[in-house]
Amino acid sequence: MMEVDSYLNKIVGQLTIDKPTRDGIIASFDILKAKIWSEYQDRLSSVELFGSFLRSTELPQKIDLESDIDVLAIFKSKEFQPVTMLKHLFEFADAQYSRSTVLKSHPTVVVEMKKVRFEIVPAYYERSFWNGDELKIPAPRNNDLKWITTEPQKLHKEVLLKNGETHNFLIPTIKLIKYFNVRKGRPFESYLIEQHAIGIDYYGHTLTDYLMQFIEELESDGANDLQREFISELRLFRKNLLDLLKLKMFDYAKLEIEKYFPLLS
Protein backbone atom coordinates (compact mmCIF):
# COMPACT_ATOMS: atom_id res chain seq x y z
CA MET A 1 0.00 0.00 0.00
CA MET A 2 2.85 2.38 0.79
CA GLU A 3 4.35 1.75 -2.66
CA VAL A 4 1.05 2.68 -4.28
CA ASP A 5 0.70 5.87 -2.26
CA SER A 6 4.34 6.76 -2.88
CA TYR A 7 3.78 6.43 -6.64
CA LEU A 8 0.69 8.65 -6.53
CA ASN A 9 2.57 11.30 -4.56
CA LYS A 10 5.38 11.17 -7.10
CA ILE A 11 2.86 11.83 -9.87
CA VAL A 12 1.40 14.76 -7.91
CA GLY A 13 4.90 16.19 -7.64
CA GLN A 14 5.15 16.15 -11.42
CA LEU A 15 1.72 17.79 -11.68
CA THR A 16 2.81 20.70 -9.49
CA ILE A 17 4.41 23.86 -10.86
CA ASP A 18 7.85 24.32 -9.30
CA LYS A 19 8.57 27.43 -7.23
CA PRO A 20 10.85 29.23 -9.75
CA THR A 21 8.23 28.80 -12.49
CA ARG A 22 5.44 29.91 -10.16
CA ASP A 23 7.46 32.95 -9.07
CA GLY A 24 8.05 33.80 -12.74
CA ILE A 25 4.33 33.63 -13.49
CA ILE A 26 3.56 35.91 -10.55
CA ALA A 27 6.25 38.37 -11.73
CA SER A 28 4.67 38.37 -15.23
CA PHE A 29 1.26 38.99 -13.67
CA ASP A 30 2.64 41.91 -11.66
CA ILE A 31 3.90 43.50 -14.90
CA LEU A 32 0.56 42.89 -16.63
CA LYS A 33 -1.28 44.32 -13.63
CA ALA A 34 0.86 47.48 -13.70
CA LYS A 35 0.22 47.92 -17.44
CA ILE A 36 -3.55 47.58 -16.97
CA TRP A 37 -3.53 50.11 -14.14
CA SER A 38 -1.43 52.50 -16.22
CA GLU A 39 -3.90 52.23 -19.11
CA TYR A 40 -7.18 52.54 -17.21
CA GLN A 41 -6.12 54.32 -13.99
CA ASP A 42 -9.07 55.65 -11.97
CA ARG A 43 -11.58 53.74 -14.10
CA LEU A 44 -10.41 50.55 -12.41
CA SER A 45 -11.41 49.09 -9.08
CA SER A 46 -8.84 46.26 -8.97
CA VAL A 47 -6.84 43.75 -11.01
CA GLU A 48 -6.87 40.28 -9.44
CA LEU A 49 -5.83 36.71 -10.03
CA PHE A 50 -8.55 34.11 -9.78
CA GLY A 51 -9.09 30.52 -10.84
CA SER A 52 -7.08 27.33 -10.42
CA PHE A 53 -3.64 28.99 -10.32
CA LEU A 54 -4.67 30.97 -7.24
CA ARG A 55 -6.03 27.79 -5.61
CA SER A 56 -2.92 25.74 -6.61
CA THR A 57 -5.14 23.21 -8.38
CA GLU A 58 -3.76 24.02 -11.85
CA LEU A 59 -1.66 21.68 -13.98
CA PRO A 60 1.64 22.75 -15.60
CA GLN A 61 1.32 23.97 -19.17
CA LYS A 62 3.58 21.15 -20.38
CA ILE A 63 0.82 18.73 -19.30
CA ASP A 64 -2.27 20.79 -20.02
CA LEU A 65 -1.72 22.89 -23.14
CA GLU A 66 -4.93 24.80 -22.36
CA SER A 67 -3.72 25.76 -18.89
CA ASP A 68 -4.00 29.50 -18.32
CA ILE A 69 -3.79 32.15 -15.62
CA ASP A 70 -7.12 33.89 -15.06
CA VAL A 71 -7.09 37.65 -14.46
CA LEU A 72 -10.02 39.85 -13.50
CA ALA A 73 -9.87 43.49 -14.59
CA ILE A 74 -12.61 44.93 -12.37
CA PHE A 75 -13.90 48.31 -13.49
CA LYS A 76 -15.74 50.76 -11.27
CA SER A 77 -18.77 50.76 -13.53
CA LYS A 78 -20.26 49.16 -16.63
CA GLU A 79 -18.84 51.63 -19.11
CA PHE A 80 -19.71 49.60 -22.21
CA GLN A 81 -21.31 46.34 -23.22
CA PRO A 82 -19.05 43.25 -23.21
CA VAL A 83 -18.12 43.33 -26.92
CA THR A 84 -16.86 46.90 -26.65
CA MET A 85 -15.00 46.32 -23.37
CA LEU A 86 -13.31 43.23 -24.82
CA LYS A 87 -12.38 45.21 -27.94
CA HIS A 88 -10.71 47.89 -25.82
CA LEU A 89 -8.88 45.28 -23.74
CA PHE A 90 -7.70 43.53 -26.90
CA GLU A 91 -6.35 46.77 -28.39
CA PHE A 92 -4.55 47.52 -25.11
CA ALA A 93 -3.01 44.04 -24.87
CA ASP A 94 -2.06 43.96 -28.55
CA ALA A 95 -0.20 47.25 -28.16
CA GLN A 96 1.51 46.32 -24.89
CA TYR A 97 2.47 42.78 -25.90
CA SER A 98 3.31 43.18 -29.59
CA ARG A 99 5.80 40.28 -29.45
CA SER A 100 3.23 37.91 -27.94
CA THR A 101 0.11 36.32 -29.37
CA VAL A 102 -2.98 38.28 -28.36
CA LEU A 103 -6.41 36.81 -29.11
CA LYS A 104 -10.02 37.73 -28.59
CA SER A 105 -11.68 34.65 -27.12
CA HIS A 106 -15.08 35.76 -25.85
CA PRO A 107 -15.55 36.33 -22.96
CA THR A 108 -11.81 36.88 -22.45
CA VAL A 109 -8.75 38.45 -24.04
CA VAL A 110 -5.87 35.98 -24.22
CA VAL A 111 -2.20 36.97 -24.00
CA GLU A 112 0.04 34.03 -24.90
CA MET A 113 3.64 34.48 -23.86
CA LYS A 114 6.46 31.97 -24.17
CA LYS A 115 5.87 30.28 -20.83
CA VAL A 116 2.52 31.59 -19.64
CA ARG A 117 -0.95 32.25 -21.01
CA PHE A 118 -3.10 34.94 -19.38
CA GLU A 119 -6.85 35.20 -19.89
CA ILE A 120 -8.10 38.67 -18.99
CA VAL A 121 -11.77 38.99 -18.08
CA PRO A 122 -13.42 42.44 -17.79
CA ALA A 123 -15.78 42.77 -14.86
CA TYR A 124 -17.66 45.25 -12.69
CA TYR A 125 -19.69 45.21 -9.48
CA GLU A 126 -23.43 45.81 -9.69
CA ARG A 127 -25.33 46.80 -6.58
CA SER A 128 -28.26 44.49 -5.83
CA PHE A 129 -30.89 45.37 -3.23
CA TRP A 130 -31.25 41.72 -2.17
CA ASN A 131 -27.72 40.38 -2.68
CA GLY A 132 -25.44 43.37 -2.18
CA ASP A 133 -22.59 43.84 -4.65
CA GLU A 134 -22.60 41.23 -7.42
CA LEU A 135 -19.57 40.70 -9.65
CA LYS A 136 -20.56 40.70 -13.32
CA ILE A 137 -18.53 39.26 -16.22
CA PRO A 138 -19.38 38.90 -19.94
CA ALA A 139 -21.80 36.07 -20.63
CA PRO A 140 -20.85 33.30 -23.07
CA ARG A 141 -21.92 33.94 -26.65
CA ASN A 142 -24.69 31.32 -26.45
CA ASN A 143 -26.28 33.12 -23.50
CA ASP A 144 -29.18 35.54 -24.02
CA LEU A 145 -27.79 37.80 -21.30
CA LYS A 146 -24.91 40.19 -21.88
CA TRP A 147 -23.53 39.96 -18.31
CA ILE A 148 -23.70 37.13 -15.79
CA THR A 149 -22.97 36.98 -12.06
CA THR A 150 -19.90 35.12 -10.86
CA GLU A 151 -18.43 34.31 -7.45
CA PRO A 152 -14.77 33.36 -8.02
CA GLN A 153 -13.87 33.79 -4.37
CA LYS A 154 -16.55 31.32 -3.28
CA LEU A 155 -14.93 28.27 -4.91
CA HIS A 156 -11.49 29.52 -3.88
CA LYS A 157 -12.45 29.68 -0.21
CA GLU A 158 -14.30 26.34 -0.32
CA VAL A 159 -11.37 24.49 -1.90
CA LEU A 160 -8.80 25.89 0.53
CA LEU A 161 -11.06 25.23 3.53
CA LYS A 162 -11.76 21.65 2.44
CA ASN A 163 -8.08 21.07 1.69
CA GLY A 164 -7.24 22.05 5.26
CA GLU A 165 -9.99 19.83 6.65
CA THR A 166 -8.65 16.88 4.62
CA HIS A 167 -5.07 17.33 5.84
CA ASN A 168 -3.99 18.62 2.39
CA PHE A 169 -5.18 15.56 0.47
CA LEU A 170 -7.90 17.37 -1.49
CA ILE A 171 -5.70 19.38 -3.88
CA PRO A 172 -3.50 16.38 -4.81
CA THR A 173 -6.67 14.36 -5.50
CA ILE A 174 -8.00 17.14 -7.72
CA LYS A 175 -4.69 17.27 -9.62
CA LEU A 176 -4.75 13.52 -10.28
CA ILE A 177 -8.31 13.63 -11.64
CA LYS A 178 -7.50 16.70 -13.75
CA TYR A 179 -4.49 14.83 -15.17
CA PHE A 180 -6.68 11.91 -16.22
CA ASN A 181 -9.24 14.39 -17.55
CA VAL A 182 -6.61 16.00 -19.81
CA ARG A 183 -5.42 12.58 -21.02
CA LYS A 184 -9.01 11.73 -22.00
CA GLY A 185 -9.53 14.94 -23.96
CA ARG A 186 -11.03 17.12 -21.20
CA PRO A 187 -14.60 15.72 -21.10
CA PHE A 188 -15.18 17.71 -17.90
CA GLU A 189 -14.58 21.41 -17.24
CA SER A 190 -11.88 21.74 -14.59
CA TYR A 191 -14.04 23.71 -12.18
CA LEU A 192 -16.64 20.89 -12.19
CA ILE A 193 -13.97 18.49 -10.94
CA GLU A 194 -13.21 20.87 -8.09
CA GLN A 195 -16.88 21.35 -7.25
CA HIS A 196 -17.35 17.58 -7.10
CA ALA A 197 -14.28 17.20 -4.89
CA ILE A 198 -15.41 19.68 -2.24
CA GLY A 199 -18.84 18.05 -1.96
CA ILE A 200 -17.51 14.71 -0.66
CA ASP A 201 -17.31 13.73 3.02
CA TYR A 202 -13.91 12.07 3.07
CA TYR A 203 -12.92 9.48 5.66
CA GLY A 204 -9.63 8.09 4.32
CA HIS A 205 -6.10 8.46 5.60
CA THR A 206 -4.00 8.22 2.44
CA LEU A 207 -3.98 9.79 -1.02
CA THR A 208 -5.08 6.43 -2.43
CA ASP A 209 -8.10 6.47 -0.10
CA TYR A 210 -9.07 9.94 -1.27
CA LEU A 211 -8.69 9.08 -4.95
CA MET A 212 -10.80 5.94 -4.52
CA GLN A 213 -13.53 7.85 -2.71
CA PHE A 214 -13.60 10.62 -5.32
CA ILE A 215 -14.16 8.00 -8.03
CA GLU A 216 -16.78 6.17 -5.93
CA GLU A 217 -18.83 9.37 -5.68
CA LEU A 218 -18.87 10.07 -9.44
CA GLU A 219 -22.35 10.17 -10.97
CA SER A 220 -23.14 9.58 -14.64
CA ASP A 221 -26.67 11.05 -14.57
CA GLY A 222 -26.89 13.78 -17.18
CA ALA A 223 -23.39 13.03 -18.52
CA ASN A 224 -22.62 12.99 -22.23
CA ASP A 225 -20.96 10.02 -23.97
CA LEU A 226 -17.39 11.20 -23.36
CA GLN A 227 -18.13 11.89 -19.70
CA ARG A 228 -19.75 8.49 -19.22
CA GLU A 229 -16.70 6.83 -20.80
CA PHE A 230 -14.45 8.83 -18.45
CA ILE A 231 -16.47 7.70 -15.41
CA SER A 232 -16.62 4.06 -16.58
CA GLU A 233 -12.87 3.88 -17.03
CA LEU A 234 -12.23 5.31 -13.57
CA ARG A 235 -14.74 2.93 -11.99
CA LEU A 236 -13.01 -0.02 -13.65
CA PHE A 237 -9.66 1.30 -12.47
CA ARG A 238 -10.99 1.61 -8.91
CA LYS A 239 -12.39 -1.93 -8.91
CA ASN A 240 -9.16 -3.45 -10.28
CA LEU A 241 -6.94 -1.51 -7.91
CA LEU A 242 -8.97 -2.34 -4.79
CA ASP A 243 -9.04 -6.04 -5.79
CA LEU A 244 -5.25 -6.07 -6.17
CA LEU A 245 -4.72 -4.25 -2.88
CA LYS A 246 -7.06 -6.67 -1.10
CA LEU A 247 -4.92 -9.54 -2.41
CA LYS A 248 -1.80 -7.61 -1.33
CA MET A 249 -0.50 -7.72 -4.90
CA PHE A 250 1.14 -4.33 -4.53
CA ASP A 251 3.47 -4.60 -7.55
CA TYR A 252 0.51 -5.33 -9.81
CA ALA A 253 -1.47 -2.54 -8.13
CA LYS A 254 1.30 -0.10 -9.01
CA LEU A 255 1.26 -1.30 -12.61
CA GLU A 256 -2.50 -0.75 -12.71
CA ILE A 257 -2.06 2.85 -11.57
CA GLU A 258 0.67 3.41 -14.16
CA LYS A 259 -1.82 2.58 -16.93
CA TYR A 260 -4.14 5.39 -15.89
CA PHE A 261 -1.69 7.85 -14.31
CA PRO A 262 1.67 7.37 -16.06
CA LEU A 263 4.77 9.16 -14.85
CA LEU A 264 5.98 11.92 -17.13
CA SER A 265 9.12 11.18 -19.12
Side-chain angles (χ1 to χ4, degrees):
M1 183 68 171
M2 288 181 62
E3 290 181 5
V4 170
D5 226 52
S6 176
Y7 178 86
L8 286 176
N9 279 293
K10 189 174 182 179
I11 286 286
V12 170
Q14 293 188 331
L15 301 178
T16 302
I17 296 176
D18 60 70
K19 188 176 185 304
T21 301
R22 194 171 187 84
D23 289 346
I25 291 172
I26 292 172
S28 294
F29 165 70
D30 287 340
I31 293 170
L32 173 62
K33 180 178 178 179
K35 288 178 182 290
I36 295 174
W37 271 108
S38 177
E39 177 73 14
Y40 295 102
Q41 300 180 21
D42 58 358
R43 294 158 61 190
L44 276 176
S45 175
S46 65
V47 180
E48 304 172 2
L49 287 172
F50 73 107
S52 59
F53 180 80
L54 193 62
R55 298 188 291 274
S56 297
T57 57
E58 82 293 347
L59 298 180
Q61 200 170 49
K62 64 182 179 182
I63 298 168
D64 182 1
L65 297 179
E66 296 185 26
S67 178
D68 54 53
I69 312 301
D70 298 308
V71 178
L72 277 174
I74 304 176
F75 290 83
K76 290 181 178 178
S77 63
K78 182 181 68 175
E79 299 181 356
F80 306 100
Q81 292 299 349
V83 172
T84 304
M85 292 191 78
L86 287 165
K87 178 177 178 291
H88 289 173
L89 270 175
F90 171 78
E91 291 171 349
F92 149 76
D94 196 41
Q96 292 292 331
Y97 291 93
S98 57
R99 296 184 180 181
S100 301
T101 301
V102 179
L103 306 167
K104 278 187 282 188
S105 180
H106 194 95
T108 71
V109 170
V110 179
V111 180
E112 291 186 352
M113 303 178 196
K114 185 176 181 181
K115 295 183 178 180
V116 62
R117 168 189 167 112
F118 288 105
E119 288 204 354
I120 310 169
V121 183
Y124 73 97
Y125 278 105
E126 182 176 274
R127 177 58 58 88
S128 166
F129 178 80
W130 298 108
N131 301 316
D133 289 343
E134 294 182 329
L135 186 64
K136 300 287 185 176
I137 62 172
R141 288 191 185 278
N142 59 356
N143 196 308
D144 292 336
L145 300 173
K146 294 185 183 299
W147 298 91
I148 56 173
T149 302
T150 185
E151 296 180 284
Q153 289 301 319
K154 183 174 184 291
L155 182 59
H156 176 75
K157 291 176 182 177
E158 288 174 343
V159 168
L160 295 189
L161 177 63
K162 192 78 171 185
N163 191 55
E165 292 173 350
T166 58
H167 308 288
N168 298 318
F169 282 121
L170 182 76
I171 288 177
T173 302
I174 289 172
K175 283 180 174 287
L176 287 167
I177 296 296
K178 282 189 174 184
Y179 178 37
F180 186 72
N181 190 55
V182 168
R183 295 188 67 239
K184 299 304 294 183
R186 299 174 66 100
F188 284 97
E189 294 286 346
S190 291
Y191 77 92
L192 292 176
I193 293 172
E194 298 190 36
Q195 286 182 337
H196 177 74
I198 61 178
I200 297 171
D201 292 325
Y202 297 95
Y203 49 78
H205 302 287
T206 68
L207 182 53
T208 305
D209 293 337
Y210 276 77
L211 181 61
M212 294 300 96
Q213 193 172 352
F214 182 102
I215 297 170
E216 182 183 18
E217 298 283 344
L218 285 171
E219 294 287 345
S220 58
D221 292 346
N224 60 37
D225 290 343
L226 287 176
Q227 291 170 340
R228 281 194 289 270
E229 181 182 343
F230 173 93
I231 293 170
S232 294
E233 285 196 41
L234 283 179
R235 284 175 176 168
L236 178 61
F237 160 70
R238 179 180 182 275
K239 178 184 180 302
N240 292 343
L241 183 64
L242 291 178
D243 285 346
L244 291 168
L245 291 175
K246 187 176 181 180
L247 295 170
K248 298 186 178 181
M249 300 174 69
F250 300 123
D251 288 341
Y252 286 99
K254 184 168 171 284
L255 289 173
E256 184 69 14
I257 294 176
E258 289 175 354
K259 290 194 301 185
Y260 291 83
F261 303 93
L263 284 170
L264 305 175
S265 56

